[in-house]
Amino acid sequence: MLTGITLCGLTLMGFTDVPTAAAQTPANYIYVVTHVDIAGTPDVVKDATRLLREFSADSKQDPGVVRFELLLQDARLNHFTIVEVWQTRQAFEAHSAAEHTRRFRQNIQPMLGSPFDERLHNLLN
């Protein structure tokens, strides 16, 4: 049976397929949506896209990650959204403090057209 959640018009399907401990149910997961807007030339956008892809690949290996998706806004090739699902807040915080996250934020900072818009959510039942 597939289950999902709709978040900002995006349906995340199958996130319950990951085995979890009793205390780590989808109702307890941390859901994170981050908007990343890149400013600059097409070469800057290309470099930012590479950084985002590397960050996504690295983040998918972090302990406690349930789902990590990198989205590109339709018809706006410099607007990205990262959708993350973490088993616990501690897993998200460890990811935030990880070397690859710090390196990504430092390297992409000069390319940003606006500050990161990172918002944490809990499942509303």
Side-chain angles (χ1 to χ4, degrees):
M1 173 175 80
L2 283 179
T3 60
I5 180 173
T6 301
L7 186 63
C8 300
L10 170 72
T11 302
L12 301 175
M13 298 301 293
F15 63 84
T16 58
D17 294 341
V18 176
T20 60
Q24 297 172 338
T25 65
N28 295 333
Y29 288 167
I30 300 298
Y31 301 82
V32 184
V33 178
T34 306
H35 298 284
V36 182
D37 296 335
I38 303 300
T41 66
D43 285 340
V44 171
V45 173
K46 182 179 176 182
D47 290 344
T49 301
R50 180 186 49 78
L51 289 173
L52 283 154
R53 284 186 173 141
E54 290 172 1
F55 176 59
S56 177
D58 290 342
S59 297
K60 288 178 180 179
Q61 303 303 312
D62 285 346
V65 67
V66 175
R67 195 154 181 115
F68 198 100
E69 302 294 340
L70 177 59
L71 308 174
L72 176 61
Q73 187 174 346
D74 190 34
R76 294 179 79 188
L77 301 179
N78 64 324
H79 290 254
F80 301 87
T81 300
I82 302 169
V83 179
E84 309 166 52
V85 182
W86 296 93
Q87 290 179 346
T88 64
R89 181 174 290 274
Q90 292 79 12
F92 169 71
E93 290 172 358
H95 159 75
S96 295
E99 173 60 30
H100 69 88
T101 301
R102 291 193 322 261
R103 183 177 59 246
F104 163 73
R105 296 251 173 148
Q106 179 180 1
N107 290 340
I108 206 161
Q109 183 66 38
M111 302 174 187
L112 294 178
S114 62
F116 280 105
D117 182 2
E118 180 179 79
R119 300 179 189 201
L120 278 63
H121 304 271
N122 297 102
L123 188 60
L124 180 62
N125 289 322

